[in-house]
Amino acid sequence: MKIISLNVGLPRTVRDRDRDVITGIFKSPVLGPVMLRRLNLDGDRQADLEVHGGKDKAVYAYASEHYVFWRKEFPKMELPWGMFGENFTTEVLCEDVACIGDHYRIGEALLQVTQPRFPCYKLGIRFGRDDIVKRFLASGRSGIYFSVLEQGLVDTGDNVERVREDENRITVADINRTFSHVRENVPLLRRIAQLEKLPPGMRDHFAQQLQLLEG
């Protein structure tokens, strides 16, 4: 596992129909090394800190293998690295490999897997199409959010090494599957609702879903 592209971008104002929207989803590859700090990479910012960024979503990784799928879905669209707003375009590191709470060493930095990404309408702005959010969620190709446990320099080509496995072994793919098909995954839902390594807001969502199902 390794980083094949390191992507950053600052918020910009774009026109969406009849309104101006400030978004940080536009990322472009940069030459490293780049300092990864507690809340983001140098040269990178989030626009709306109420729903983006913060310690549990400090850095976002997306698998290069997923681009093969999307290029088949959108054969006429150019899809450069960073198109999904990811900071790290990775090789091999996918949702069915990474478990919530796992620790990864990337360059000098130490990161912890926190949650999948459930995108807002701004992904539609990036792609120029309204259906991408629905298709993104249906695909299960969510990408992976990390918190930063130890700051440090990271660079393209750095290995992504898992150095600690969380004992619960609930993958990011498990979270995605349960989010989309809650009634079919009640046993897993019970485990997720008690998963302390999952950020509180997301854990509360699953706890509420469990309460609705079980009364």
Side-chain angles (χ1 to χ4, degrees):
M1 295 185 287
K2 66 180 181 179
I3 297 175
I4 64 172
S5 184
L6 191 63
N7 316 297
V8 301
L10 297 175
R12 66 174 72 172
T13 301
V14 297
R15 193 71 178 171
D16 179 40
R17 298 180 177 87
D18 59 347
R19 59 178 176 170
D20 289 331
V21 175
I22 301 175
T23 176
I25 198 171
F26 290 85
K27 313 291 187 190
S28 300
V30 293
L31 296 176
V34 175
M35 187 68 182
L36 176 57
R37 304 187 189 277
R38 294 290 182 184
L39 296 181
N40 45 43
L41 288 157
D42 281 358
D44 190 72
R45 294 291 185 276
Q46 298 85 21
D48 184 354
L49 295 178
E50 290 188 6
V51 293
H52 301 292
K55 67 180 182 62
D56 293 321
K57 293 184 282 187
V59 63
Y60 177 52
Y62 203 68
S64 59
E65 291 84 356
H66 293 342
Y67 277 80
V68 176
F69 170 84
W70 291 113
R71 284 170 179 147
K72 290 179 180 178
E73 293 287 298
F74 307 126
K76 296 182 180 180
M77 184 178 294
E78 184 179 355
L79 298 177
W81 301 139
M83 185 69 180
F84 291 87
E86 77 270 17
N87 302 113
F88 298 157
T89 311
T90 61
E91 185 178 78
V92 179
L93 180 64
C94 293
E95 295 81 2
D96 58 353
V97 171
C99 291
I100 305 300
D102 281 356
H103 291 187
Y104 284 85
R105 177 69 66 183
I106 305 177
E108 296 178 352
L110 182 65
L111 291 76
Q112 178 173 294
V113 176
T114 57
Q115 65 180 76
R117 175 197 186 187
F118 300 123
C120 69
Y121 71 95
K122 292 180 180 178
L123 185 64
I125 293 176
R126 180 70 176 96
F127 273 73
R129 51 188 307 150
D130 295 332
D131 64 344
I132 184 61
V133 172
K134 183 177 180 179
R135 293 172 73 162
F136 184 91
L137 291 171
S139 76
R141 295 166 171 84
S142 65
I144 303 164
Y145 273 120
F146 292 89
S147 62
V148 178
L149 302 179
E150 295 177 7
Q151 302 179 123
L153 292 170
V154 295
D155 201 353
T156 301
D158 280 348
N159 289 329
V160 178
E161 179 187 4
R162 182 161 53 198
V163 295
R164 179 179 177 183
E165 294 185 350
D166 186 78
E167 64 275 9
N168 294 287
R169 309 314 298 148
I170 295 177
T171 66
V172 173
D174 288 333
I175 304 291
N176 291 332
R177 184 168 64 254
T178 305
F179 183 87
S180 299
H181 305 286
V182 63
R183 292 183 180 275
E184 295 85 350
N185 293 283
V186 174
L188 185 55
L189 175 61
R190 293 192 187 102
R191 294 179 61 205
I192 293 172
Q194 298 178 357
L195 185 58
E196 293 185 359
K197 299 290 178 60
L198 198 63
M202 186 164 290
R203 189 170 66 248
D204 289 347
H205 166 81
F206 286 107
Q208 291 169 7
Q209 292 298 307
L210 182 61
Q211 185 177 16
L212 288 173
L213 289 174
E214 297 190 331

